[in-house]
Amino acid sequence: MIKFDKFSLDNGLRVIVHQDSSTPIVAINIIYDVGSRDENPDKTGFAHLFEHLMFGGSVNIPKYDEPLQNVGGENNAFTNNDITNYYLTLPKQNIEIAFWLESDRMLDLAFSKKSLDVQRNVVSEEFRQNYLNQPYGDAWLMLKPLAYKVHPYRWPTIGKEISHIENAEMEDVRAFYKKYYNPNNAVLVVGGDVDLENIKHLAEKWFAPIPGGESFVRNLPKEPIQTKERKLKVERDVPTNVIHKAYHMSGRLDLDYYSSDLLSDILSNGDSSRLYQKLVKDQKLFIEINAFLTGDFDEGLFVIIGKIANGINVKVAEDAIINELEIICKEAIDEDELNKVKIKAESSLIFSEVNILNKTMNLAYFEILGDANLINLEIEKYKIISVDQIQKMANTIFREENCSTLYYLSKQE
Amino acid sequence: MDLTIDRKTQPDSRPIRSIDLMEPENLKLTNGFQVHLLNLGTQDLVKIELVCEAGLAYQSKTLISSFTNKMLAEGTKSFSAYEIAETFDRYGAYYSSNIDKDFASVALYCLTKYLDQVLPVFAEIICEPLFPENELQVLANKSKQEFIINLKKVKSLAQLYFPPLIFGNRHPYGQMTDVDDFNKVTHDDLRTFYQNFYLKSDSKLFISGKLDKKIIKKLNHTFSQFNIKLNANAIMPDFSFNANTEKYKQIKVKDALQSAIWVGKKLFNKFHPDFIGMQVLNTALGGYFGSRLMTNIREDKGFTYGIGSSIVSQKYDGYLAIQTEVGTKHTEATLTEIYKEIKILQTKLIGTEELELIKNFITGQLIRSMDGPFAVHEKLKAVILYNFDMQYYQRYIDEVSTISPETLNRLANEHLQKSSLAELIVGK
């Protein structure tokens, strides 16, 4: 249970305060309600490139990082399909520096040409480092457009291709900032040994003068229901065959999300899980296998990725996965097995609240999803799932025509 | 409301000049285990970690240390690997095994309310592991295949070749694993390694979280079920081998889009009088986002997604490593810029403003690294495993706060001479 206070400024900025006197640092998290799903299909990777530009100086402060480091702070940020999240930690006595820095880059950016030129290169190198110059690094670049044909989840956050990043223009940067980087499109969370009245004062002082932006309606195309199984086979210079199976599932706010999550835990969370015990340990068909949810806000994916043991036929390995999925579709699981994964879900939530930065991030994430208090309802939502619901969910998700399979194979020399 | 606030001027701030590391409670279990207890945190969680001097440096052939460490939970006298995994999963507990050059550890993270259920299993993992053949085969095959995948990554190749380059491959810190080694590890190797290096008089239990008053009683009760005798560790590896005289290695990777570049040298550890000064110097060079290497090579030239340098202390030695991955067409230019930045540190005194920022950054980093009980647990380990007292971090801050530009200049000239640095290029 995370306690918090919440208030809004007149410009629409939502502010959440969580008090924790056990830590010497404060964490500040600002989440903007924009992600790669909001990009133009011809200019992908832009939300993430923009995140880099947020560090290129704001209207009154030439350098973001320096003053923060100078008071013992540190920061970082990440972008995903749905959100862009900025977070920083610093010793509690210097908290106002964070308000000064974050409010200035919400007020206006410096829009420096040099920063854009350099960050285009930096992000291109990030693309090469993580997606192109790694074995299997480009798997998601292929799996996403296989699973999605219409919805913007069909491209990854890094972008479809490097040229989209290389071609980003200053006018795109300005338009993006104007549309999305407004107080009414953001949530500010402050966590640590802080005083609520003082935070109210600081929020008013630094953020209230920022004008609210125009609100917009997100109108994303809905992914049509998949009616036929999809398969893609690629051969690359990699030593191990890897199979990826992606099934469409519900969005993050749907109650089906919780039964899907428990289903993925039954299959692969922990060394006692089904896929690990049967396919890795007993049958030795895989060296590693994982089932997980992408957890996207809109309809997401239930993904199974297995690294096939050397010498094992790909078809045999795939059939073994399908066999396990058929078992869970046909045979109701034990109440006992369900309880096990419920406790695991509870425990994983409690462990995620062990430090102040994670707690503030969690609160911000749930507030953007709809309400920060959702975090305190998570455990209950898992607890009420029944054996029948798990079986029903398995039958809804694990249908051949709902599946996209990527075979990432070792090229035969 | 005042709309005319001054946004150009930074609000007031105060530097950090003191730090409190929470004192642990130190005691011994009836079986002789040293225990360090840290009662801290807001969530009903506990972490228990056993640390033994059984790291990679102690093995007589590669993989034995890490396989022994990983195999502890793969079957014990009364529990199969499956039963162990099942118990931990059932109670929402997490188990992890970790190894570095000096230390091997196993840790249990669990909800305080389920400690009684999982502690007996964790204790048996520590006290009565069996290292079953079948599980060893699974681990060997899996690790070998992962190893081969990693050989396709320029960064992993650099990690593999760097230690032997700077320490020499006969030094305990310079050993290098080969693909063929994976099938050579036997059950007896693990059994012997376990007997020689685990459960010695220097083995330590670190416990942190929101602790139950009865925790010591529980630990004593659980561990007293096993018949253990803690002897002194009798076997010490020979750390006296000289560093490799070779200073350059290139590994060509066809089709590479980026090169991994590592530049560095064998240095010294936390016990050396220049260690803290070198940490400050290293921070200026490549130890934070605003560092000179990052500012020049990423933020000005855009050659890389990231570049950093670090000074690592091991128990019996230490090293400096500058690491980056750059677009292959920038390999040469990056090396030139790295040496240029080092040269500047040797010839020009670091400015007051930059030095002040670095000092504040380092002290802030120390405070920030104490967020939550498990983070403080790590800080405490770093002190106790090196036999420092609890004032270590305060002395660290004092020394950082008072270091002069002249001292840093001396350190740059003494320890960063280009002729002493080794260079490893993987890619093109």
Side-chain angles (χ1 to χ4, degrees):
Chain A
M1 173 82 186
I2 306 185
K3 287 187 188 159
F4 62 89
D5 291 285
K6 185 164 129 183
F7 60 94
S8 291
L9 302 182
D10 290 345
N11 59 16
L13 179 69
R14 286 169 278 170
V15 185
I16 290 171
V17 183
H18 166 68
Q19 289 166 291
D20 175 354
S21 59
S22 75
T23 173
I25 66 164
V26 290
I28 296 193
N29 192 94
I30 298 199
I31 202 166
Y32 288 91
D33 187 359
V34 59
S36 55
R37 67 176 169 170
D38 297 305
E39 291 162 351
N40 179 331
D42 303 320
K43 295 179 177 182
T44 64
F46 196 81
H48 167 251
L49 172 66
F50 190 87
E51 172 215 310
H52 279 244
L53 298 172
M54 281 287 277
F55 296 89
S58 53
V59 59
N60 295 298
I61 308 173
K63 286 187 171 171
Y64 175 90
D65 290 283
E66 248 179 54
L68 182 63
Q69 287 156 353
N70 208 2
V71 298
E74 177 76 304
N75 73 93
N76 214 332
F78 64 83
T79 308
N80 67 24
N81 291 328
D82 303 308
I83 55 162
T84 312
N85 193 45
Y86 300 83
Y87 54 95
L88 58 89
T89 52
L90 77 174
K92 64 182 175 189
Q93 72 241 45
N94 296 332
I95 188 170
E96 188 160 3
I97 302 293
F99 279 82
W100 172 64
L101 285 166
E102 289 299 341
S103 64
D104 205 51
R105 63 179 180 176
M106 192 185 283
L107 180 67
D108 208 1
L109 283 188
F111 298 108
S112 115
K113 182 177 179 305
K114 163 90 182 172
S115 171
L116 177 59
D117 288 346
V118 168
Q119 294 307 321
R120 278 194 296 235
N121 289 335
V122 169
V123 173
S124 298
E125 288 303 334
E126 181 180 358
F127 201 127
R128 286 187 191 98
Q129 182 173 323
N130 294 338
Y131 299 86
L132 304 180
N133 203 36
Q134 297 283 341
Y136 317 104
D138 59 348
W140 283 95
L141 292 169
M142 296 183 282
L143 188 59
K144 296 200 92 180
L146 189 64
Y148 291 101
K149 297 299 172 192
V150 172
H151 191 282
Y153 288 166
R154 69 186 187 273
W155 58 82
T157 301
I158 191 71
K160 276 183 203 168
E161 48 190 274
I162 288 190
S163 69
H164 283 196
I165 293 152
E166 287 168 340
N167 295 333
E169 300 287 347
M170 188 56 92
E171 59 183 296
D172 303 326
V173 176
R174 286 184 190 277
F176 197 84
Y177 183 77
K178 186 162 186 280
K179 182 165 182 190
Y180 297 109
Y181 280 73
N182 294 312
N184 45 314
N185 202 42
V187 172
L188 165 69
V189 183
V190 181
D193 188 7
V194 294
D195 171 59
L196 177 62
E197 289 311 310
N198 186 40
I199 299 302
K200 279 185 177 166
H201 162 73
L202 290 172
E204 278 293 335
K205 175 178 172 186
W206 293 103
F207 285 93
I210 303 171
E214 264 178 57
S215 57
F216 62 92
V217 179
R218 183 173 273 122
N219 198 0
L220 301 177
K222 200 169 158 56
E223 184 66 21
I225 290 173
Q226 185 176 334
T227 52
K228 201 163 171 272
E229 67 172 323
R230 297 172 188 155
K231 292 185 172 184
L232 176 65
K233 188 165 101 180
V234 295
E235 294 189 348
R236 296 279 196 274
D237 179 23
V238 291
T240 289
N241 296 323
V242 177
I243 185 166
H244 305 68
K245 294 183 85 67
Y247 296 87
H248 292 281
M249 60 164 282
S250 75
R252 182 64 181 83
L253 280 172
D254 201 298
L255 281 178
D256 284 350
Y257 175 87
Y258 298 88
S259 40
S260 308
D261 196 23
L262 292 176
L263 186 56
S264 76
D265 289 345
I266 288 166
L267 289 174
S268 98
N269 189 352
D271 284 1
S272 73
S273 61
R274 291 186 177 198
L275 296 182
Y276 184 75
Q277 279 300 324
K278 293 188 186 165
L279 307 189
V280 177
K281 282 230 152 163
D282 294 350
Q283 300 171 37
K284 301 183 175 61
L285 300 174
F286 292 86
I287 57 161
E288 189 185 331
I289 189 158
N290 285 301
F292 60 92
L293 317 183
T294 52
D296 300 307
F297 287 10
D298 298 329
E299 281 80 0
L301 298 174
F302 188 116
V303 184
I304 299 171
I305 300 181
K307 289 182 185 161
I308 302 172
N310 284 344
I312 299 295
N313 179 285
V314 176
K315 175 84 168 54
V316 170
E318 182 177 19
D319 286 347
I321 296 178
I322 292 171
N323 183 47
E324 285 305 319
L325 301 182
E326 278 173 359
I327 292 173
I328 211 164
C329 285
K330 281 187 194 139
E331 299 166 20
I333 59 162
D334 271 6
E335 196 71 53
D336 204 37
E337 193 176 5
L338 180 58
N339 279 335
K340 179 176 84 172
V341 291
K342 283 181 180 178
I343 290 175
K344 195 104 186 171
E346 178 182 0
S347 152
S348 116
L349 188 76
I350 298 174
F351 273 99
S352 81
E353 294 168 2
V354 80
N355 66 42
I356 193 70
L357 180 59
N358 271 349
K359 281 193 280 189
T360 57
M361 274 189 186
N362 285 348
L363 285 167
Y365 170 83
F366 281 101
E367 179 62 26
I368 282 284
L369 256 183
D371 179 1
N373 195 49
L374 288 171
I375 191 170
N376 294 321
L377 308 176
E378 284 284 282
I379 291 175
E380 253 342 280
K381 288 181 186 166
Y382 284 107
K383 276 189 180 159
I384 56 169
I385 304 289
S386 68
V387 165
D388 284 350
Q389 280 170 296
I390 296 284
Q391 191 173 12
K392 194 166 148 267
M393 194 45 55
N395 281 287
T396 308
I397 295 176
F398 302 138
R399 290 171 297 113
E400 195 177 84
E401 66 273 22
N402 189 36
C403 183
S404 299
T405 308
L406 170 66
Y407 304 90
Y408 202 118
L409 307 180
S410 178
K411 195 189 292 176
Q412 300 303 317
E413 296 291 337
Chain B
M1 186 171 51
D2 180 12
L3 290 173
T4 59
I5 48 168
D6 177 8
R7 290 186 181 272
K8 302 260 182 217
T9 313
Q10 181 177 326
D12 290 341
S13 64
R14 280 184 289 135
I16 303 123
R17 290 293 176 255
S18 70
I19 192 160
D20 283 324
L21 179 62
M22 189 177 165
E23 291 263 355
E25 194 184 332
N26 305 310
L27 47 102
K28 273 197 174 178
L29 294 188
T30 46
N31 72 358
F33 269 145
Q34 297 174 44
V35 180
H36 306 281
L37 284 178
L38 197 63
N39 197 351
L40 188 69
T42 55
Q43 311 301 117
D44 291 315
L45 300 171
V46 56
K47 173 179 180 180
I48 304 183
E49 182 177 24
L50 174 81
V51 184
C52 301
E53 303 214 5
L56 303 176
Y58 296 88
Q59 63 196 0
S60 53
K61 63 184 196 198
T62 60
L63 297 171
I64 294 178
S65 305
S66 63
F67 276 27
T68 303
N69 184 236
K70 284 189 185 135
M71 286 286 296
L72 290 171
E74 295 295 326
T76 63
K77 207 167 158 191
S78 28
F79 304 109
S80 68
Y82 175 72
E83 286 165 335
I84 293 168
E86 171 69 16
T87 306
F88 290 159
D89 286 340
R90 175 154 309 279
Y91 295 103
Y94 297 89
Y95 169 81
S96 76
S97 61
N98 300 290
I99 195 147
D100 64 22
K101 299 281 183 190
D102 300 305
F103 301 103
S105 81
V106 287
L108 174 74
Y109 298 78
C110 83
L111 301 173
T112 312
K113 62 181 173 184
Y114 294 132
L115 184 61
D116 289 345
Q117 283 82 355
V118 293
L119 185 60
V121 178
F122 183 66
E124 191 162 317
I125 286 171
I126 293 172
C127 300
E128 288 180 334
L130 289 183
F131 309 104
E133 287 285 0
N134 178 47
E135 313 289 345
L136 176 58
Q137 278 324 306
V138 172
L139 175 66
N141 291 338
K142 180 183 150 92
S143 309
K144 182 177 179 178
Q145 217 174 317
E146 290 290 353
F147 183 81
I148 294 169
I149 292 172
N150 279 329
L151 295 179
K152 291 278 173 196
K153 301 177 187 169
V154 292
K155 185 179 179 179
S156 306
L157 283 167
Q159 278 163 345
L160 188 65
Y161 283 93
F162 191 71
L165 179 63
I166 57 166
F167 287 111
N169 60 11
R170 296 182 66 195
H171 189 285
Y173 291 156
Q175 305 171 51
M176 190 171 129
T177 306
D178 185 80
V179 170
D180 296 331
D181 299 345
F182 289 86
N183 303 108
K184 293 180 187 159
V185 182
T186 66
H187 164 86
D188 288 344
D189 288 335
L190 305 189
R191 185 82 225 152
T192 308
F193 189 84
Y194 172 78
Q195 282 163 352
N196 286 341
F197 300 105
Y198 279 79
L199 307 193
K200 295 289 145 181
S201 48
D202 53 13
S203 304
K204 294 176 175 68
L205 273 175
F206 292 88
I207 300 172
S208 58
K210 221 167 145 182
L211 304 177
D212 182 319
K213 279 189 194 122
K214 295 189 203 124
I215 183 115
I216 289 300
K217 214 172 139 191
K218 282 180 186 173
L219 289 166
N220 271 327
H221 173 75
T222 307
F223 281 100
S224 65
Q225 320 278 319
F226 305 98
N227 181 21
I228 329 170
K229 248 208 177 112
L230 303 176
N231 301 312
N233 183 355
I235 309 167
M236 261 315 269
D238 182 357
F239 288 94
S240 66
F241 287 103
N242 285 325
N244 201 348
T245 50
E246 199 63 50
K247 290 279 185 286
Y248 180 79
K249 187 162 185 74
Q250 182 170 30
I251 297 162
K252 292 221 155 96
V253 178
K254 78 172 164 84
D255 306 329
L257 299 174
Q258 286 188 321
S259 299
I261 299 175
W262 285 40
V263 174
K265 67 185 286 191
K266 174 164 130 69
L267 206 58
F268 39 69
N269 62 12
K270 286 182 195 175
F271 301 112
H272 193 281
D274 285 345
F275 181 77
I276 295 175
M278 281 304 286
Q279 288 286 355
V280 179
L281 183 67
N282 175 69
T283 304
L285 177 64
Y288 72 122
F289 192 82
S291 71
R292 293 179 176 199
L293 288 174
M294 198 73 164
T295 304
N296 178 348
I297 294 166
R298 172 176 147 142
E299 292 296 291
D300 185 55
K301 307 220 166 45
F303 289 171
T304 179
Y305 178 46
I307 181 164
S309 67
S310 49
I311 288 181
V312 176
S313 170
Q314 296 152 325
K315 188 133 189 189
Y316 301 97
D317 222 319
Y319 65 89
L320 160 79
I322 299 167
Q323 308 162 24
T324 185
E325 282 150 78
V326 302
T328 47
K329 61 175 186 271
H330 305 305
T331 306
E332 275 310 309
T334 302
L335 282 164
T336 307
E337 293 302 323
I338 289 173
Y339 294 122
K340 199 197 270 176
E341 291 299 343
I342 291 173
K343 191 83 200 160
I344 295 172
L345 286 171
Q346 289 164 340
T347 49
K348 238 182 120 204
L349 287 183
I350 186 165
T352 330
E353 250 178 60
E354 184 184 357
L355 184 54
E356 199 51 34
L357 186 152
I358 288 165
K359 289 175 177 182
N360 289 333
F361 177 77
I362 294 175
T363 48
Q365 190 177 39
L366 199 54
I367 303 264
R368 281 182 286 103
S369 69
M370 297 187 182
D371 182 12
F374 303 152
V376 179
H377 175 118
E378 290 305 313
K379 285 284 161 225
L380 195 67
K381 261 167 61 185
V383 169
I384 291 176
L385 293 175
Y386 280 76
N387 306 315
F388 289 120
D389 60 40
M390 290 300 125
Q391 297 310 305
Y392 177 78
Y393 291 114
Q394 185 58 51
R395 285 197 303 275
Y396 190 97
I397 286 191
D398 292 344
E399 189 173 336
V400 168
S401 310
T402 50
I403 201 160
S404 70
E406 290 75 18
T407 305
L408 293 171
N409 183 261
R410 172 183 69 78
L411 295 175
N413 281 294
E414 269 177 38
H415 301 302
L416 298 181
Q417 282 307 322
K418 189 178 173 190
S419 59
S420 72
L421 297 171
E423 201 176 274
L424 171 64
I425 315 291
V426 183
K428 283 182 190 169

